[in-house]
Amino acid sequence: MSDAPALLPVEEARARILGLCTPLPTEWVPGDDALGRALAEDVLARRTLPPWDNSAMDGYAVRGGDLTGPLPVRLTVGETVFAGRRPTREVVPGTCARIMTGAPLPPGADAVVMRERTRTLAGALDAVEILEAAGPGNFVRPRGEDAKEGDVLLRRGTPLGIPELGLLWAQGQGTVPVPRRPRVAVLSTGDELCRVDEPPGDGIVDINAPTLALAVRRAGGVPTLLGIARDTREAVQEALARTEGFDVVLTSAGVSVGDHDFVKDALEALGVEQRFWRVAIKPGKPLVVGQRGATLFMGLPGNPTSSLVTFELFVRPALRRLLGHADVEPPRVAGRLEGKLSKAPGLAHFVRVTATWRAGELWARPLGTQTSGALRSAAAATHLLHFPRDTSSLTDGSHVELVPLSWVA
């Protein structure tokens, strides 16, 4: 593979990656397995909900016209209507019905007065005094307020959270059409690496593969660990040759310009077309992206924090696109900088910060170390502060853009 002629801006790199991704084939899964995925097609309401006008309060179902005169107004109580029961009497002038939350509104009634705004009369169980006026619709949940049969209930691409799944279950829909979960292979490279259950000796424990696998799972994918490939072109190529059938292949390390950086060469030998290499970003500059057939290959940097940051900014949006989400860009929130930052222009820095609310604003304090190999600061970070590519300094109190981190518990 030939080197890319220039460093890509972050936004362009992400746009190119997303251009390589389309939602995966649809499968129907139980609702509890669809949590966090996105709908693969529009869902129409099968039922009108609520199916009738019902009370939003415990109180009395009344005719608003009976309450236009001087208060209090004394009304005769015709019946008590409980949730799950149908009313048996019409509310006629001068009468009302005792009603419970969720119970159907009796014919003739057009409003509900909450129990706290009434007074019962001693020795008169069939009468009540209404202490305040109530116009039509007062404390009434109208028929079809939540859904009307035949209407589009949820659009394709809607993320399925708990309320959305509740809407579907209320419609009697137990299975949901969603893109299948992306199958993601994760490979580490490096002679210095060992597994967590091995004595390190002169090496270091491979933390990239297991942490990336957790990030993949949290983003909705299904990770498979391919182990550790040693620093030879043959070893890397042999490991990558075992990625047939995966939707995404993630490697860590071996993508820079060192003598033992063989990932790009191995990908080229396997017929992977390089789309770009290197992004104008810190941490995470040596990012390589390629494609073979429908499989997306992303070579991430080897330093642990660089690996996680590039996952957050590039891999997670790609997985969300494969999962059918309509909005895949990393979320952003406005904040203020606590302290000062400076750098040379040319690279966009994503600074690890701890952000806290103060006086109605989100204040971001940079963590003590920003080196790519320091995972401890990634553990303490709540957000990434975007320090723009062409900006060289940010002063105390500067308005900044913050990216909330999905890896925060």
Side-chain angles (χ1 to χ4, degrees):
M1 295 182 181
S2 60
D3 290 355
L7 299 179
L8 282 181
V10 172
E11 296 76 13
E12 183 178 345
R14 185 161 52 240
R16 289 195 189 186
I17 292 169
L18 293 176
L20 303 175
C21 302
T22 56
L24 294 170
T26 300
E27 62 180 5
W28 287 77
V29 300
D32 54 1
D33 189 35
L35 184 65
R37 302 206 223 178
L39 278 173
E41 56 189 59
D42 292 350
V43 173
L44 304 184
R46 302 173 178 178
R47 304 170 180 173
T48 294
L49 294 176
W52 46 69
D53 293 349
N54 71 93
S55 177
M57 289 284 178
D58 291 340
Y60 292 85
V62 300
R63 296 166 54 93
D66 284 343
L67 307 179
T68 56
L71 297 171
V73 172
R74 179 172 177 169
L75 299 175
T76 299
V77 180
E79 67 173 328
T80 298
V81 187
F82 293 94
R85 306 273 185 87
R86 298 290 295 174
T88 61
R89 299 185 185 181
E90 182 179 359
V91 174
V92 298
T95 70
C96 65
R98 187 178 291 108
I99 194 167
M100 305 302 161
T101 302
L105 208 65
D110 61 8
V112 172
V113 176
M114 61 192 302
R115 180 176 291 177
E116 294 87 339
R117 300 293 184 265
T118 67
R119 181 168 60 218
T120 56
L121 303 174
L125 297 178
D126 63 344
V128 66
E129 283 189 341
I130 307 298
L131 305 180
E132 71 177 17
N138 189 68
F139 291 126
V140 173
R141 294 186 291 217
R143 178 179 185 273
E145 179 183 42
D146 221 11
K148 293 181 180 178
E149 184 179 354
D151 286 354
V152 176
L153 184 68
L154 295 171
R155 295 282 183 187
R156 179 172 62 89
T158 299
L160 291 171
I162 293 171
E164 290 79 10
L165 289 169
L167 277 175
L168 295 173
W169 283 323
Q171 293 289 323
Q173 185 161 337
T175 58
V176 184
V178 291
R180 67 165 173 80
R181 295 188 184 278
R183 296 186 288 261
V184 183
V186 183
L187 174 69
S188 290
T189 68
D191 286 339
E192 74 280 14
L193 299 179
C194 66
R195 299 192 312 269
V196 67
D197 57 347
E198 294 177 325
D202 293 329
I204 58 175
V205 173
D206 173 27
I207 58 175
N208 284 357
T211 54
L212 286 173
L214 287 176
V216 167
R217 188 174 294 115
R218 194 163 212 179
V222 180
T224 297
L225 294 173
L226 299 183
I228 300 168
R230 297 307 169 192
D231 280 330
T232 68
R233 175 172 167 167
E234 293 74 22
V236 175
Q237 187 171 325
E238 187 277 330
L240 289 173
R242 295 185 277 115
T243 58
E244 198 70 39
F246 287 97
D247 303 299
V248 179
V249 178
L250 301 180
T251 66
S252 63
V255 292
S256 192
V257 293
D259 291 342
H260 287 177
D261 289 337
F262 294 112
V263 169
K264 294 197 284 89
D265 291 339
L267 291 175
E268 183 177 42
L270 291 170
V272 176
E273 182 180 355
Q274 181 178 299
R275 300 296 186 172
F276 66 83
W277 174 49
R278 300 193 305 174
V279 181
I281 184 177
K282 183 179 180 179
K285 182 171 70 172
L287 171 72
V288 63
V289 173
Q291 190 175 35
R292 184 183 63 195
T295 302
L296 178 66
F297 291 80
M298 302 181 71
L300 310 184
N303 281 315
T305 300
S306 297
S307 180
L308 284 176
V309 169
T310 50
F311 182 95
E312 197 74 13
L313 297 177
F314 304 109
V315 182
R316 189 168 181 268
L319 295 179
R320 286 176 59 80
R321 175 62 56 82
L322 295 174
L323 283 164
H325 288 272
D327 182 9
V328 301
E329 290 285 329
R332 301 169 180 84
V333 294
R336 303 282 293 275
L337 172 63
E338 180 181 331
K340 300 177 181 179
L341 289 172
S342 61
K343 66 172 179 65
L347 298 180
H349 286 205
F350 283 83
V351 181
R352 283 151 274 162
V353 299
T354 298
T356 54
W357 285 100
R358 194 167 74 239
E361 294 185 291
L362 195 59
W363 285 83
R365 178 174 53 83
L367 292 163
T369 178
Q370 295 294 324
T371 60
S372 300
L375 197 58
R376 191 168 184 175
S377 63
T382 62
H383 297 71
L384 298 175
L385 183 153
H386 179 205
F387 194 166
R389 181 179 184 181
D390 296 327
T391 301
S392 57
S393 64
L394 293 172
T395 58
D396 186 54
S398 293
H399 291 273
V400 292
E401 179 182 272
L402 303 175
V403 178
L405 291 170
S406 68
W407 68 61
V408 176

